[in-house]
Amino acid sequence: MKTWFHQWGSPPHFYERAARWTPWFSVLALVTLAYGLIGGLVLAPMDYQQGQGYRIIFVHVPSAWMSMFIYTTLAIAGGIALIWRMKLAEVYIAAAAPLGASFTFLALLTGSLWGKPMWGTYWVWDARLTSELILLFLYLGVIALYSAIEDKRSAARAASVLALVGVVNIPIIHYSVEWWHTLHQGPTVTKFDKPSIDTAMLLPLLSMALGFTFYFAALALVRMRLGLLQRERYSRWVSDMLNQSQVKS
Amino acid sequence: MTPRRRRMLFIGCLLLGLAAATALMLKAFEQNLLYFYSPSQVMAGEAPEGQRFRLGGLVKYGSVKRAEDSLDVQFVLADCEDSLPVTYRGILPDLFREGQGIVAYGQLSTGQNGRLFVADEVLAKHDENYMSPEVAESLKKPDGASCMPPGMLNAGNREN
């Protein structure tokens, strides 16, 4: 366990592994997204209440799940970075935060576009929408804090603290629709009862969620490799690697 | 105690403290975080008097009356215990129909027979059920539900 941890914490080792994994995640993302889109937009029946308009859930719901999932991983990475001073965790925060912010923005945007025809308004200040907006600001705060501090070690430490502090918002987002009266609907899938959604809609929805996760994983790995190269540009393994590739070509 | 242990303890305490602070804060703001009041809450006098607020409930079956020469609509919003008549002038969202969950924004006034809610904004709330029209048809209750389904008020009329 300890050697495993150390091996994975080693930048050159991770750099090489990540390069090998990226294509696999990309292929998995393509397959699940293709099935999810066809199954959701073509094969699934329309909704009894919302007609064809409900189909925006196939983008909206996975992005919202991703926005919360990625923030949770940021907080975990922040804890690891602060406690074990692991460089990879710091690189992960810088790599994943913009991706998480994009998913949050996508969830807010698609939800807003959905809200106009169904609810009759683009935006309301109910507990769910407001807490998701706060999540976007938390992401932007993590990104801004990381880029504002010159020394990347202390930048990552500051960003980690913010990521950890902000994690209290995650259960609030999830339970907001149960704790308070909101205009946003209650949970359909993520509850203890049986999901209250037709299986023909649920399967493509889950496939889209998987696809978003794989897509995120592939992008995060690419961004982490880039971040590692930048952070370690003066170190031995980077110059060794560059020399090797020059010899080859 | 190693420095690592100390950092671990510090972060643990930080998170615990934050969670407690947030919980207390949310508890204190509970009333402000309610997006709408239910008809029974309004009838029990929990809604702010003389102030604008949101009222949420189901449109009672057979209660929608539209004026012939204007956009005036009158309907009754109900939950399982109480109901309140609402008037509104304007265009209603597509999902507005009898039996649908609706959130109306406006204020209380007195009508000819008791309380009346005058709304200037009406939003439709959809529930968490997704199914095909055929399935919905087969599930339909003969008289239609005029009581709040569990999903509509989410936490329901929890006692605080």
Side-chain angles (χ1 to χ4, degrees):
Chain A
M1 173 71 196
K2 194 122 195 191
T3 46
W4 181 85
F5 202 68
H6 275 284
Q7 217 175 19
W8 272 101
S10 127
H13 182 82
F14 177 84
Y15 187 85
E16 195 196 321
R17 281 292 173 89
R20 261 187 279 159
W21 284 15
T22 308
W24 288 105
F25 281 128
S26 313
V27 169
L28 283 172
L30 271 181
V31 173
T32 44
L33 285 179
Y35 167 72
L37 282 177
I38 297 171
L41 299 186
V42 184
L43 302 179
M46 65 177 203
D47 181 54
Y48 77 112
Q49 203 173 54
Q50 304 182 42
Q52 303 288 2
Y54 90 96
R55 290 185 198 277
I56 203 162
I57 59 166
F58 294 110
V59 180
H60 174 74
V61 174
S63 348
W65 284 346
M66 289 308 290
S67 71
M68 292 160 70
F69 166 71
I70 295 173
Y71 198 89
T72 314
T73 63
L74 279 193
I76 294 171
I80 293 175
L82 287 176
I83 296 170
W84 286 282
R85 303 277 151 91
M86 192 182 182
K87 200 173 280 173
L88 264 186
E90 297 174 5
V91 171
Y92 174 78
I93 293 176
L99 299 175
S102 318
F103 280 119
T104 315
F105 179 73
L106 196 60
L108 287 168
L109 181 77
T110 50
S112 173
L113 292 177
W114 191 8
K116 187 63 187 172
M118 296 306 159
W119 294 341
T121 178
Y122 287 113
W123 184 264
V124 290
W125 292 101
D126 82 348
R128 170 56 71 84
L129 276 65
T130 310
S131 54
E132 182 76 10
L133 185 65
I134 291 174
L135 183 69
L136 179 64
F137 293 153
L138 281 170
Y139 271 121
L140 296 181
V142 169
I143 297 169
L145 203 53
Y146 186 81
S147 1
I149 301 173
E150 198 72 30
D151 170 35
K152 285 308 159 202
R153 271 246 109 129
S154 32
R157 232 164 270 170
S160 300
V161 173
L162 182 57
L164 271 171
V165 167
V167 82
V168 290
N169 192 31
I170 296 296
I172 295 178
I173 297 177
H174 180 77
Y175 289 108
S176 55
V177 290
E178 293 177 19
W179 288 343
W180 305 293
H181 300 167
T182 53
L183 187 61
H184 193 281
Q185 62 157 84
T188 296
V189 182
T190 53
K191 57 182 179 185
F192 287 116
D193 294 340
K194 203 169 143 289
S196 46
I197 179 169
D198 201 311
T199 318
M201 303 168 178
L202 179 62
L203 290 181
L205 181 64
L206 294 179
S207 181
M208 285 301 281
L210 265 180
F212 273 41
T213 315
F214 289 134
Y215 174 68
F216 163 71
L219 276 187
L221 286 180
V222 172
R223 289 179 55 87
M224 280 179 79
R225 293 181 70 217
L226 186 65
L228 265 183
L229 274 189
Q230 266 170 352
R231 282 279 292 266
E232 302 266 282
R233 58 187 177 278
Y234 301 119
S235 72
R236 187 69 168 280
W237 67 273
V238 175
S239 50
D240 280 356
M241 192 179 60
L242 286 177
N243 287 337
Q244 262 182 3
S245 62
Q246 268 170 359
V247 171
K248 262 187 230 159
S249 57
Chain B
M1 199 186 260
T2 63
R4 180 176 301 163
R5 271 312 229 342
R6 205 161 50 227
R7 291 199 292 262
M8 226 185 264
L9 198 71
F10 175 75
I11 288 173
C13 291
L14 177 86
L15 281 182
L16 265 180
L18 266 173
T22 318
L24 288 174
M25 214 166 73
L26 291 178
K27 188 81 199 134
F29 286 127
E30 190 151 41
Q31 283 306 307
N32 305 45
L33 284 168
L34 281 187
Y35 186 64
F36 57 81
Y37 293 90
S38 63
S40 53
Q41 279 176 317
V42 174
M43 289 319 226
E46 283 176 42
E49 203 80 36
Q51 237 179 23
R52 292 158 56 75
F53 65 94
R54 291 188 182 81
L55 171 74
L58 290 194
V59 181
K60 205 169 169 182
Y61 277 89
S63 74
V64 180
K65 288 188 209 90
R66 288 171 202 269
E68 274 170 23
D69 52 349
S70 72
L71 287 172
D72 287 348
V73 197
Q74 200 166 39
F75 53 91
V76 175
L77 279 187
D79 60 10
C80 292
E81 288 144 43
D82 239 319
S83 64
L84 196 65
V86 179
T87 61
Y88 172 67
R89 173 178 296 173
I91 297 168
L92 293 164
D94 283 357
L95 281 183
F96 183 92
R97 65 193 77 166
E98 293 178 352
Q100 183 74 30
I102 291 295
V103 176
Y105 188 44
Q107 72 190 115
L108 270 183
S109 76
T110 20
Q112 296 138 339
N113 32 10
R115 294 191 195 198
L116 177 73
F117 189 81
V118 183
D120 44 42
E121 183 187 50
V122 171
L123 301 178
K125 187 177 151 86
H126 61 78
D127 59 22
E128 70 279 19
N129 299 310
Y130 291 86
M131 52 188 150
S132 61
E134 296 81 36
V135 177
E137 194 59 41
S138 67
L139 284 179
K140 210 169 187 177
K141 295 187 192 79
D143 54 343
S146 57
C147 185
M148 194 86 58
M152 167 64 198
L153 276 182
N154 306 328
N157 302 314
R158 257 182 328 143
E159 303 298 326
N160 311 317

